[in-house]
Amino acid sequence: MDPVLIGEILAALMFVGVIGVLMLGFPVAFSLAGTAIIFGLVGWMLGVYDPSNYGSLAGRYIGLMTNEVLVAVPLFVFMGVMLERSGIAEQLLLTMGKLFGNLRGGLALSVIVVGALLAASTGVVGATVVTMGLISLPAMLRAGYDPKLATGVICASGTLGQIIPPSTVLIFMGDMLSGINAQVQMEKGNFAPEPVSVGALFAGAIIPGLLLVALYAAYVIFKAWRDPQSAPATPVPESERAGLLREVVVALIPPLLLILAVLGSILAGIATPTEAASVGSVGALLLAALRRRLSFSILKQAVISTATITSMVFIILFGAAVFSVVFRMMGGDNLVHEFLSSMPGGAVGAIIIVMLVMFLLGFILDTFEIIFIVIPITAPVLLALDVDPIWLGVMVGVNLQTSFLTPPFGFALFYLRGVAPSRVSTGMIYKGVIPFVLLQILGLVTLFFFPQLITSLPDLLY
C-alpha cells in the first residue's frame, strides 16, 4: 500500500482515537500526547513516521515559555480571581438587582449586565458563573422565577468572558493565528503580511460580544412579556430606593475604570495585552485593598488558583503540540487540506464544515482542547483560501463559547450545578441553557452573513 495513504489513514484514526480516549475520561494533556506517541510508534513500525520529528518539540516548548504575549494569560487570570475575592461582583449583582427590580425579568437583565461587565474586567468564566450562582440564583428563585430561565441566564451570561475581551481564548487564538498566517502568506509569496495581533482580535470581538448581550436581553424581555409568571418583577422598598443612585455609581465606577485602563490601553495602542494585563492585576490588588479585602490569605488563594488554572491550560497546549507534530508528519495536514479544498462552495463550504465540527466537539470537549487540536490543523487551509484571520478567530471564539453551555459536558453547567440548591435539578439546568445555545447559533449566523460586524472596528483602529 502507498506509504502516503497509510500515513493519512493513521492520521485520521489518530484524530478519532484521541476523541474516544477523551470521552473515556482520561486527562486531556496526557490523552493528546499519549495517543500521538502510540500512533507515532505504529507509524514508525510501518515506515511512515520518523521519530526524530519529536526533536522539534523542544524548540516549540521553549518558544511557548518565552512568548511575551502568553504572559498575559496568568496575569488576566490573577486579575479575575482577585476581583472575585474583592467582592466587586457581589456588589454589582446586588445593586443591579435593585436597579432593574421594578421590571418584569429585571433580575435576569441585571445578571446579563453584570455578566458583561465581569467579562470585560475579568474574563474568568468559572469564577463568574459560581459568583452569580451563589448570589443571584437564590434571589431569583425566591422571587418566583422559572428555575430553567434563572439557570440558563446565569450560565450564558457567565460564559461571556470567552468572547468579550480580555479573553484568554482570544490571546491564544491571536498567537496561533499570527504564526499560521505569516507562514501561509510566505508560501503564497507575500513576505510582508498584515500582522494578526491580539489587540486586533480584541477589537473584533467587542461588537459580537455586545450582540450576544443584546440577544440574551431580548430573549429575557420576550419571555417576561409572554410568560410574566416565569420572570416576575421584584419591586424595591421605598426605604432602599433613596440611596440607590449612589450605590449604582459606587458599584459601577471601579469595574468601568479597570475596563478603561485595560481594554482602553490595548485598543488605543498605548500598551500591549501583556502590559495591560499587568496594569489590570495591580488595579485588582488596589481595588481589593480599598475594599479592605486584601490579606495574605486571599493573596495566597489567588496565586494558587492562578497557578492551577494557568498550569492546566499550558499542559494541554504542550500535549497538543505532540499531537500536532505526529498528525502533520504523517500527512494529516495534506488530508485536511484536500478535504476542505474539495468542499462545494470553496472557502464558504470549508468554513461551514469547520464550524460544524467545532460545534459538535463542544458537546464533549473544552474550549482550549478544541482550539489546540483543531486550529493548527484547519486554520492553514482556511487562511490559504483567503479567509480573514481576524474574522476567523472571532467566529471560532463565538462558536466555542457554546462549548461551555452544551450538555452533557459544558463546564458552566457543572460550575452552576456545584452551587445550585438541591431543588434545582441537573435536568432543569440542561433545559435552561438550550434557548441560549440557540441564541448563540443565531449570533454566529448573523456574524457569518455580516462579517463587517467583526472586521469594521479592527480596520478602524489598526
Side-chain angles (χ1 to χ4, degrees), residues 161-199:
Q162 281 292 99
I163 189 63
I164 294 180
S167 163
T168 51
V169 170
L170 293 181
I171 294 172
F172 280 108
M173 198 93 67
D175 182 67
M176 295 168 75
L177 289 175
S178 176
I180 293 171
N181 186 59
Q183 182 181 351
V184 169
Q185 294 303 319
M186 287 179 66
E187 291 173 356
K188 295 172 72 173
N190 180 9
F191 297 100
E194 288 284 331
V196 181
S197 67
V198 174

PDB file of all heavy atoms in Angstrom, residues 161-199:
ATOM      1  N   GLY A 161     -17.304  35.868  29.169  1.00  0.00           N
ATOM      2  CA  GLY A 161     -15.861  36.091  29.288  1.00  0.00           C
ATOM      3  C   GLY A 161     -15.057  35.343  28.237  1.00  0.00           C
ATOM      4  O   GLY A 161     -13.871  35.640  28.034  1.00  0.00           O
ATOM      5  N   GLN A 162     -15.678  34.367  27.551  1.00  0.00           N
ATOM      6  CA  GLN A 162     -14.994  33.641  26.489  1.00  0.00           C
ATOM      7  C   GLN A 162     -14.790  34.502  25.252  1.00  0.00           C
ATOM      8  O   GLN A 162     -13.851  34.270  24.493  1.00  0.00           O
ATOM      9  CB  GLN A 162     -15.814  32.411  26.092  1.00  0.00           C
ATOM     10  CG  GLN A 162     -15.674  31.242  27.042  1.00  0.00           C
ATOM     11  CD  GLN A 162     -14.300  30.631  26.998  1.00  0.00           C
ATOM     12  OE1 GLN A 162     -13.468  30.916  27.847  1.00  0.00           O
ATOM     13  NE2 GLN A 162     -14.043  29.813  26.018  1.00  0.00           N
ATOM     14  N   ILE A 163     -15.667  35.482  25.033  1.00  0.00           N
ATOM     15  CA  ILE A 163     -15.586  36.256  23.797  1.00  0.00           C
ATOM     16  C   ILE A 163     -15.355  37.741  24.052  1.00  0.00           C
ATOM     17  O   ILE A 163     -14.682  38.411  23.272  1.00  0.00           O
ATOM     18  CB  ILE A 163     -16.866  36.034  22.932  1.00  0.00           C
ATOM     19  CG1 ILE A 163     -16.704  36.660  21.546  1.00  0.00           C
ATOM     20  CG2 ILE A 163     -18.106  36.541  23.636  1.00  0.00           C
ATOM     21  CD1 ILE A 163     -15.598  36.064  20.721  1.00  0.00           C
ATOM     22  N   ILE A 164     -15.909  38.282  25.137  1.00  0.00           N
ATOM     23  CA  ILE A 164     -15.699  39.702  25.420  1.00  0.00           C
ATOM     24  C   ILE A 164     -14.291  39.894  25.967  1.00  0.00           C
ATOM     25  O   ILE A 164     -13.914  39.244  26.941  1.00  0.00           O
ATOM     26  CB  ILE A 164     -16.745  40.229  26.422  1.00  0.00           C
ATOM     27  CG1 ILE A 164     -18.147  40.194  25.802  1.00  0.00           C
ATOM     28  CG2 ILE A 164     -16.413  41.644  26.870  1.00  0.00           C
ATOM     29  CD1 ILE A 164     -19.247  40.693  26.715  1.00  0.00           C
ATOM     30  N   PRO A 165     -13.472  40.745  25.369  1.00  0.00           N
ATOM     31  CA  PRO A 165     -12.097  40.945  25.856  1.00  0.00           C
ATOM     32  C   PRO A 165     -12.089  41.508  27.283  1.00  0.00           C
ATOM     33  O   PRO A 165     -13.013  42.230  27.653  1.00  0.00           O
ATOM     34  CB  PRO A 165     -11.530  41.975  24.872  1.00  0.00           C
ATOM     35  CG  PRO A 165     -12.451  41.930  23.689  1.00  0.00           C
ATOM     36  CD  PRO A 165     -13.793  41.563  24.201  1.00  0.00           C
ATOM     37  N   PRO A 166     -11.062  41.192  28.087  1.00  0.00           N
ATOM     38  CA  PRO A 166      -9.880  40.390  27.736  1.00  0.00           C
ATOM     39  C   PRO A 166     -10.148  38.899  27.897  1.00  0.00           C
ATOM     40  O   PRO A 166     -10.364  38.431  29.003  1.00  0.00           O
ATOM     41  CB  PRO A 166      -8.837  40.857  28.757  1.00  0.00           C
ATOM     42  CG  PRO A 166      -9.646  41.245  29.951  1.00  0.00           C
ATOM     43  CD  PRO A 166     -10.972  41.766  29.448  1.00  0.00           C
ATOM     44  N   SER A 167     -10.146  38.179  26.812  1.00  0.00           N
ATOM     45  CA  SER A 167     -10.441  36.750  26.818  1.00  0.00           C
ATOM     46  C   SER A 167      -9.153  35.961  26.628  1.00  0.00           C
ATOM     47  O   SER A 167      -8.402  36.211  25.679  1.00  0.00           O
ATOM     48  CB  SER A 167     -11.423  36.426  25.687  1.00  0.00           C
ATOM     49  OG  SER A 167     -11.439  35.065  25.398  1.00  0.00           O
ATOM     50  N   THR A 168      -8.903  35.011  27.530  1.00  0.00           N
ATOM     51  CA  THR A 168      -7.693  34.193  27.401  1.00  0.00           C
ATOM     52  C   THR A 168      -7.735  33.345  26.137  1.00  0.00           C
ATOM     53  O   THR A 168      -6.698  33.062  25.532  1.00  0.00           O
ATOM     54  CB  THR A 168      -7.527  33.283  28.627  1.00  0.00           C
ATOM     55  OG1 THR A 168      -8.741  32.559  28.858  1.00  0.00           O
ATOM     56  CG2 THR A 168      -7.202  34.094  29.874  1.00  0.00           C
ATOM     57  N   VAL A 169      -8.945  32.946  25.721  1.00  0.00           N
ATOM     58  CA  VAL A 169      -9.081  32.180  24.477  1.00  0.00           C
ATOM     59  C   VAL A 169      -8.591  33.005  23.291  1.00  0.00           C
ATOM     60  O   VAL A 169      -7.866  32.504  22.421  1.00  0.00           O
ATOM     61  CB  VAL A 169     -10.549  31.751  24.265  1.00  0.00           C
ATOM     62  CG1 VAL A 169     -10.748  31.176  22.864  1.00  0.00           C
ATOM     63  CG2 VAL A 169     -10.969  30.720  25.301  1.00  0.00           C
ATOM     64  N   LEU A 170      -8.970  34.286  23.250  1.00  0.00           N
ATOM     65  CA  LEU A 170      -8.546  35.150  22.141  1.00  0.00           C
ATOM     66  C   LEU A 170      -7.043  35.407  22.172  1.00  0.00           C
ATOM     67  O   LEU A 170      -6.423  35.613  21.124  1.00  0.00           O
ATOM     68  CB  LEU A 170      -9.313  36.476  22.188  1.00  0.00           C
ATOM     69  CG  LEU A 170     -10.814  36.395  21.904  1.00  0.00           C
ATOM     70  CD1 LEU A 170     -11.440  37.788  21.972  1.00  0.00           C
ATOM     71  CD2 LEU A 170     -11.099  35.759  20.545  1.00  0.00           C
ATOM     72  N   ILE A 171      -6.447  35.402  23.365  1.00  0.00           N
ATOM     73  CA  ILE A 171      -4.993  35.579  23.454  1.00  0.00           C
ATOM     74  C   ILE A 171      -4.285  34.410  22.772  1.00  0.00           C
ATOM     75  O   ILE A 171      -3.379  34.594  21.950  1.00  0.00           O
ATOM     76  CB  ILE A 171      -4.546  35.712  24.925  1.00  0.00           C
ATOM     77  CG1 ILE A 171      -5.099  36.996  25.533  1.00  0.00           C
ATOM     78  CG2 ILE A 171      -3.018  35.707  25.024  1.00  0.00           C
ATOM     79  CD1 ILE A 171      -4.873  37.122  27.026  1.00  0.00           C
ATOM     80  N   PHE A 172      -4.686  33.192  23.119  1.00  0.00           N
ATOM     81  CA  PHE A 172      -4.095  32.018  22.477  1.00  0.00           C
ATOM     82  C   PHE A 172      -4.402  32.004  20.986  1.00  0.00           C
ATOM     83  O   PHE A 172      -3.551  31.662  20.163  1.00  0.00           O
ATOM     84  CB  PHE A 172      -4.616  30.740  23.131  1.00  0.00           C
ATOM     85  CG  PHE A 172      -3.939  30.397  24.424  1.00  0.00           C
ATOM     86  CD1 PHE A 172      -4.602  30.541  25.630  1.00  0.00           C
ATOM     87  CD2 PHE A 172      -2.636  29.941  24.443  1.00  0.00           C
ATOM     88  CE1 PHE A 172      -3.977  30.234  26.826  1.00  0.00           C
ATOM     89  CE2 PHE A 172      -2.003  29.619  25.635  1.00  0.00           C
ATOM     90  CZ  PHE A 172      -2.679  29.771  26.832  1.00  0.00           C
ATOM     91  N   MET A 173      -5.642  32.366  20.631  1.00  0.00           N
ATOM     92  CA  MET A 173      -6.044  32.364  19.226  1.00  0.00           C
ATOM     93  C   MET A 173      -5.192  33.362  18.430  1.00  0.00           C
ATOM     94  O   MET A 173      -4.739  33.061  17.317  1.00  0.00           O
ATOM     95  CB  MET A 173      -7.511  32.746  19.107  1.00  0.00           C
ATOM     96  CG  MET A 173      -8.134  32.367  17.795  1.00  0.00           C
ATOM     97  SD  MET A 173      -8.917  30.770  17.877  1.00  0.00           S
ATOM     98  CE  MET A 173     -10.254  31.136  18.998  1.00  0.00           C
ATOM     99  N   GLY A 174      -4.995  34.540  18.987  1.00  0.00           N
ATOM    100  CA  GLY A 174      -4.194  35.548  18.302  1.00  0.00           C
ATOM    101  C   GLY A 174      -2.765  35.085  18.085  1.00  0.00           C
ATOM    102  O   GLY A 174      -2.183  35.283  17.006  1.00  0.00           O
ATOM    103  N   ASP A 175      -2.184  34.457  19.107  1.00  0.00           N
ATOM    104  CA  ASP A 175      -0.806  33.981  18.989  1.00  0.00           C
ATOM    105  C   ASP A 175      -0.698  32.883  17.934  1.00  0.00           C
ATOM    106  O   ASP A 175       0.225  32.884  17.111  1.00  0.00           O
ATOM    107  CB  ASP A 175      -0.336  33.458  20.352  1.00  0.00           C
ATOM    108  CG  ASP A 175       1.105  32.993  20.318  1.00  0.00           C
ATOM    109  OD1 ASP A 175       1.997  33.843  20.140  1.00  0.00           O
ATOM    110  OD2 ASP A 175       1.342  31.774  20.452  1.00  0.00           O
ATOM    111  N   MET A 176      -1.655  31.957  17.923  1.00  0.00           N
ATOM    112  CA  MET A 176      -1.621  30.858  16.955  1.00  0.00           C
ATOM    113  C   MET A 176      -1.863  31.355  15.527  1.00  0.00           C
ATOM    114  O   MET A 176      -1.135  30.990  14.595  1.00  0.00           O
ATOM    115  CB  MET A 176      -2.666  29.810  17.334  1.00  0.00           C
ATOM    116  CG  MET A 176      -2.401  29.109  18.658  1.00  0.00           C
ATOM    117  SD  MET A 176      -3.813  28.154  19.245  1.00  0.00           S
ATOM    118  CE  MET A 176      -3.742  26.757  18.157  1.00  0.00           C
ATOM    119  N   LEU A 177      -2.887  32.200  15.362  1.00  0.00           N
ATOM    120  CA  LEU A 177      -3.216  32.682  14.021  1.00  0.00           C
ATOM    121  C   LEU A 177      -2.131  33.580  13.449  1.00  0.00           C
ATOM    122  O   LEU A 177      -1.927  33.612  12.230  1.00  0.00           O
ATOM    123  CB  LEU A 177      -4.556  33.429  14.049  1.00  0.00           C
ATOM    124  CG  LEU A 177      -5.803  32.566  14.245  1.00  0.00           C
ATOM    125  CD1 LEU A 177      -7.039  33.437  14.370  1.00  0.00           C
ATOM    126  CD2 LEU A 177      -5.970  31.584  13.086  1.00  0.00           C
ATOM    127  N   SER A 178      -1.426  34.294  14.325  1.00  0.00           N
ATOM    128  CA  SER A 178      -0.342  35.162  13.855  1.00  0.00           C
ATOM    129  C   SER A 178       0.741  34.343  13.162  1.00  0.00           C
ATOM    130  O   SER A 178       1.171  34.669  12.051  1.00  0.00           O
ATOM    131  CB  SER A 178       0.244  35.942  15.035  1.00  0.00           C
ATOM    132  OG  SER A 178       1.349  36.716  14.620  1.00  0.00           O
ATOM    133  N   GLY A 179       1.178  33.261  13.817  1.00  0.00           N
ATOM    134  CA  GLY A 179       2.212  32.420  13.222  1.00  0.00           C
ATOM    135  C   GLY A 179       1.726  31.683  11.988  1.00  0.00           C
ATOM    136  O   GLY A 179       2.445  31.600  10.978  1.00  0.00           O
ATOM    137  N   ILE A 180       0.502  31.146  12.057  1.00  0.00           N
ATOM    138  CA  ILE A 180      -0.041  30.389  10.915  1.00  0.00           C
ATOM    139  C   ILE A 180      -0.221  31.305   9.714  1.00  0.00           C
ATOM    140  O   ILE A 180       0.121  30.950   8.579  1.00  0.00           O
ATOM    141  CB  ILE A 180      -1.377  29.726  11.302  1.00  0.00           C
ATOM    142  CG1 ILE A 180      -1.151  28.638  12.356  1.00  0.00           C
ATOM    143  CG2 ILE A 180      -2.054  29.125  10.069  1.00  0.00           C
ATOM    144  CD1 ILE A 180      -2.434  28.090  12.951  1.00  0.00           C
ATOM    145  N   ASN A 181      -0.759  32.520   9.948  1.00  0.00           N
ATOM    146  CA  ASN A 181      -1.000  33.445   8.843  1.00  0.00           C
ATOM    147  C   ASN A 181       0.309  33.876   8.188  1.00  0.00           C
ATOM    148  O   ASN A 181       0.394  33.977   6.953  1.00  0.00           O
ATOM    149  CB  ASN A 181      -1.758  34.674   9.344  1.00  0.00           C
ATOM    150  CG  ASN A 181      -2.170  35.604   8.225  1.00  0.00           C
ATOM    151  OD1 ASN A 181      -2.894  35.222   7.318  1.00  0.00           O
ATOM    152  ND2 ASN A 181      -1.683  36.850   8.284  1.00  0.00           N
ATOM    153  N   ALA A 182       1.340  34.124   9.010  1.00  0.00           N
ATOM    154  CA  ALA A 182       2.638  34.524   8.455  1.00  0.00           C
ATOM    155  C   ALA A 182       3.198  33.411   7.561  1.00  0.00           C
ATOM    156  O   ALA A 182       3.715  33.679   6.467  1.00  0.00           O
ATOM    157  CB  ALA A 182       3.607  34.839   9.592  1.00  0.00           C
ATOM    158  N   GLN A 183       3.077  32.167   8.014  1.00  0.00           N
ATOM    159  CA  GLN A 183       3.574  31.036   7.234  1.00  0.00           C
ATOM    160  C   GLN A 183       2.797  30.875   5.928  1.00  0.00           C
ATOM    161  O   GLN A 183       3.395  30.673   4.864  1.00  0.00           O
ATOM    162  CB  GLN A 183       3.476  29.760   8.068  1.00  0.00           C
ATOM    163  CG  GLN A 183       4.005  28.521   7.365  1.00  0.00           C
ATOM    164  CD  GLN A 183       3.874  27.274   8.221  1.00  0.00           C
ATOM    165  OE1 GLN A 183       3.548  27.353   9.401  1.00  0.00           O
ATOM    166  NE2 GLN A 183       4.104  26.113   7.626  1.00  0.00           N
ATOM    167  N   VAL A 184       1.463  30.982   6.011  1.00  0.00           N
ATOM    168  CA  VAL A 184       0.632  30.831   4.813  1.00  0.00           C
ATOM    169  C   VAL A 184       0.934  31.934   3.795  1.00  0.00           C
ATOM    170  O   VAL A 184       1.055  31.670   2.590  1.00  0.00           O
ATOM    171  CB  VAL A 184      -0.866  30.850   5.195  1.00  0.00           C
ATOM    172  CG1 VAL A 184      -1.747  30.979   3.958  1.00  0.00           C
ATOM    173  CG2 VAL A 184      -1.240  29.592   5.973  1.00  0.00           C
ATOM    174  N   GLN A 185       1.062  33.167   4.279  1.00  0.00           N
ATOM    175  CA  GLN A 185       1.320  34.281   3.364  1.00  0.00           C
ATOM    176  C   GLN A 185       2.686  34.169   2.694  1.00  0.00           C
ATOM    177  O   GLN A 185       2.834  34.514   1.516  1.00  0.00           O
ATOM    178  CB  GLN A 185       1.213  35.614   4.129  1.00  0.00           C
ATOM    179  CG  GLN A 185      -0.188  35.937   4.630  1.00  0.00           C
ATOM    180  CD  GLN A 185      -1.218  35.984   3.524  1.00  0.00           C
ATOM    181  OE1 GLN A 185      -0.961  36.497   2.434  1.00  0.00           O
ATOM    182  NE2 GLN A 185      -2.400  35.427   3.786  1.00  0.00           N
ATOM    183  N   MET A 186       3.675  33.670   3.444  1.00  0.00           N
ATOM    184  CA  MET A 186       5.004  33.481   2.846  1.00  0.00           C
ATOM    185  C   MET A 186       4.955  32.415   1.758  1.00  0.00           C
ATOM    186  O   MET A 186       5.604  32.555   0.709  1.00  0.00           O
ATOM    187  CB  MET A 186       6.009  33.095   3.929  1.00  0.00           C
ATOM    188  CG  MET A 186       6.395  34.234   4.860  1.00  0.00           C
ATOM    189  SD  MET A 186       7.571  33.742   6.137  1.00  0.00           S
ATOM    190  CE  MET A 186       9.008  33.378   5.126  1.00  0.00           C
ATOM    191  N   GLU A 187       4.176  31.356   1.981  1.00  0.00           N
ATOM    192  CA  GLU A 187       4.034  30.315   0.958  1.00  0.00           C
ATOM    193  C   GLU A 187       3.340  30.853  -0.294  1.00  0.00           C
ATOM    194  O   GLU A 187       3.568  30.346  -1.399  1.00  0.00           O
ATOM    195  CB  GLU A 187       3.236  29.136   1.527  1.00  0.00           C
ATOM    196  CG  GLU A 187       3.990  28.346   2.595  1.00  0.00           C
ATOM    197  CD  GLU A 187       3.132  27.286   3.258  1.00  0.00           C
ATOM    198  OE1 GLU A 187       1.913  27.221   2.941  1.00  0.00           O
ATOM    199  OE2 GLU A 187       3.661  26.528   4.094  1.00  0.00           O
ATOM    200  N   LYS A 188       2.514  31.887  -0.120  1.00  0.00           N
ATOM    201  CA  LYS A 188       1.810  32.490  -1.265  1.00  0.00           C
ATOM    202  C   LYS A 188       2.628  33.609  -1.904  1.00  0.00           C
ATOM    203  O   LYS A 188       2.173  34.265  -2.837  1.00  0.00           O
ATOM    204  CB  LYS A 188       0.453  33.030  -0.813  1.00  0.00           C
ATOM    205  CG  LYS A 188      -0.492  31.925  -0.348  1.00  0.00           C
ATOM    206  CD  LYS A 188      -1.764  32.484   0.269  1.00  0.00           C
ATOM    207  CE  LYS A 188      -2.678  33.098  -0.753  1.00  0.00           C
ATOM    208  NZ  LYS A 188      -3.990  33.488  -0.167  1.00  0.00           N
ATOM    209  N   GLY A 189       3.836  33.864  -1.379  1.00  0.00           N
ATOM    210  CA  GLY A 189       4.707  34.880  -1.951  1.00  0.00           C
ATOM    211  C   GLY A 189       4.583  36.256  -1.339  1.00  0.00           C
ATOM    212  O   GLY A 189       5.221  37.203  -1.797  1.00  0.00           O
ATOM    213  N   ASN A 190       3.786  36.382  -0.290  1.00  0.00           N
ATOM    214  CA  ASN A 190       3.633  37.659   0.404  1.00  0.00           C
ATOM    215  C   ASN A 190       4.569  37.669   1.605  1.00  0.00           C
ATOM    216  O   ASN A 190       4.288  37.040   2.629  1.00  0.00           O
ATOM    217  CB  ASN A 190       2.179  37.848   0.846  1.00  0.00           C
ATOM    218  CG  ASN A 190       1.962  39.166   1.583  1.00  0.00           C
ATOM    219  OD1 ASN A 190       2.846  40.016   1.628  1.00  0.00           O
ATOM    220  ND2 ASN A 190       0.777  39.328   2.158  1.00  0.00           N
ATOM    221  N   PHE A 191       5.706  38.374   1.486  1.00  0.00           N
ATOM    222  CA  PHE A 191       6.707  38.363   2.552  1.00  0.00           C
ATOM    223  C   PHE A 191       6.546  39.520   3.531  1.00  0.00           C
ATOM    224  O   PHE A 191       7.381  39.701   4.419  1.00  0.00           O
ATOM    225  CB  PHE A 191       8.115  38.377   1.937  1.00  0.00           C
ATOM    226  CG  PHE A 191       8.404  37.158   1.114  1.00  0.00           C
ATOM    227  CD1 PHE A 191       8.317  37.194  -0.270  1.00  0.00           C
ATOM    228  CD2 PHE A 191       8.746  35.959   1.723  1.00  0.00           C
ATOM    229  CE1 PHE A 191       8.561  36.063  -1.029  1.00  0.00           C
ATOM    230  CE2 PHE A 191       8.998  34.824   0.973  1.00  0.00           C
ATOM    231  CZ  PHE A 191       8.904  34.867  -0.414  1.00  0.00           C
ATOM    232  N   ALA A 192       5.489  40.311   3.364  1.00  0.00           N
ATOM    233  CA  ALA A 192       5.194  41.386   4.323  1.00  0.00           C
ATOM    234  C   ALA A 192       3.698  41.376   4.636  1.00  0.00           C
ATOM    235  O   ALA A 192       2.970  42.327   4.325  1.00  0.00           O
ATOM    236  CB  ALA A 192       5.621  42.735   3.751  1.00  0.00           C
ATOM    237  N   PRO A 193       3.217  40.286   5.263  1.00  0.00           N
ATOM    238  CA  PRO A 193       1.773  40.183   5.513  1.00  0.00           C
ATOM    239  C   PRO A 193       1.316  41.100   6.629  1.00  0.00           C
ATOM    240  O   PRO A 193       2.108  41.536   7.472  1.00  0.00           O
ATOM    241  CB  PRO A 193       1.604  38.712   5.926  1.00  0.00           C
ATOM    242  CG  PRO A 193       2.907  38.350   6.544  1.00  0.00           C
ATOM    243  CD  PRO A 193       3.950  39.125   5.769  1.00  0.00           C
ATOM    244  N   GLU A 194       0.018  41.409   6.615  1.00  0.00           N
ATOM    245  CA  GLU A 194      -0.575  42.170   7.720  1.00  0.00           C
ATOM    246  C   GLU A 194      -0.496  41.340   8.999  1.00  0.00           C
ATOM    247  O   GLU A 194      -0.921  40.186   9.014  1.00  0.00           O
ATOM    248  CB  GLU A 194      -2.042  42.495   7.403  1.00  0.00           C
ATOM    249  CG  GLU A 194      -2.248  43.537   6.336  1.00  0.00           C
ATOM    250  CD  GLU A 194      -1.985  44.943   6.845  1.00  0.00           C
ATOM    251  OE1 GLU A 194      -2.183  45.181   8.053  1.00  0.00           O
ATOM    252  OE2 GLU A 194      -1.579  45.778   6.037  1.00  0.00           O
ATOM    253  N   PRO A 195       0.067  41.889  10.070  1.00  0.00           N
ATOM    254  CA  PRO A 195       0.175  41.101  11.301  1.00  0.00           C
ATOM    255  C   PRO A 195      -1.196  40.853  11.937  1.00  0.00           C
ATOM    256  O   PRO A 195      -2.096  41.680  11.829  1.00  0.00           O
ATOM    257  CB  PRO A 195       1.057  41.979  12.209  1.00  0.00           C
ATOM    258  CG  PRO A 195       0.845  43.367  11.694  1.00  0.00           C
ATOM    259  CD  PRO A 195       0.632  43.232  10.221  1.00  0.00           C
ATOM    260  N   VAL A 196      -1.334  39.692  12.583  1.00  0.00           N
ATOM    261  CA  VAL A 196      -2.552  39.356  13.322  1.00  0.00           C
ATOM    262  C   VAL A 196      -2.236  39.531  14.800  1.00  0.00           C
ATOM    263  O   VAL A 196      -1.551  38.713  15.393  1.00  0.00           O
ATOM    264  CB  VAL A 196      -3.007  37.913  13.040  1.00  0.00           C
ATOM    265  CG1 VAL A 196      -4.284  37.593  13.812  1.00  0.00           C
ATOM    266  CG2 VAL A 196      -3.208  37.701  11.549  1.00  0.00           C
ATOM    267  N   SER A 197      -2.711  40.596  15.383  1.00  0.00           N
ATOM    268  CA  SER A 197      -2.381  40.896  16.783  1.00  0.00           C
ATOM    269  C   SER A 197      -3.542  40.522  17.699  1.00  0.00           C
ATOM    270  O   SER A 197      -4.702  40.455  17.271  1.00  0.00           O
ATOM    271  CB  SER A 197      -2.055  42.375  16.954  1.00  0.00           C
ATOM    272  OG  SER A 197      -3.207  43.168  16.736  1.00  0.00           O
ATOM    273  N   VAL A 198      -3.199  40.293  18.963  1.00  0.00           N
ATOM    274  CA  VAL A 198      -4.223  40.036  19.967  1.00  0.00           C
ATOM    275  C   VAL A 198      -5.123  41.256  20.121  1.00  0.00           C
ATOM    276  O   VAL A 198      -6.339  41.134  20.285  1.00  0.00           O
ATOM    277  CB  VAL A 198      -3.572  39.663  21.314  1.00  0.00           C
ATOM    278  CG1 VAL A 198      -4.632  39.532  22.410  1.00  0.00           C
ATOM    279  CG2 VAL A 198      -2.806  38.355  21.179  1.00  0.00           C
ATOM    280  N   GLY A 199      -4.548  42.449  20.016  1.00  0.00           N
ATOM    281  CA  GLY A 199      -5.343  43.674  20.121  1.00  0.00           C
ATOM    282  C   GLY A 199      -6.399  43.764  19.033  1.00  0.00           C
ATOM    283  O   GLY A 199      -7.538  44.175  19.290  1.00  0.00           O
TER     284      GLY A 199
END
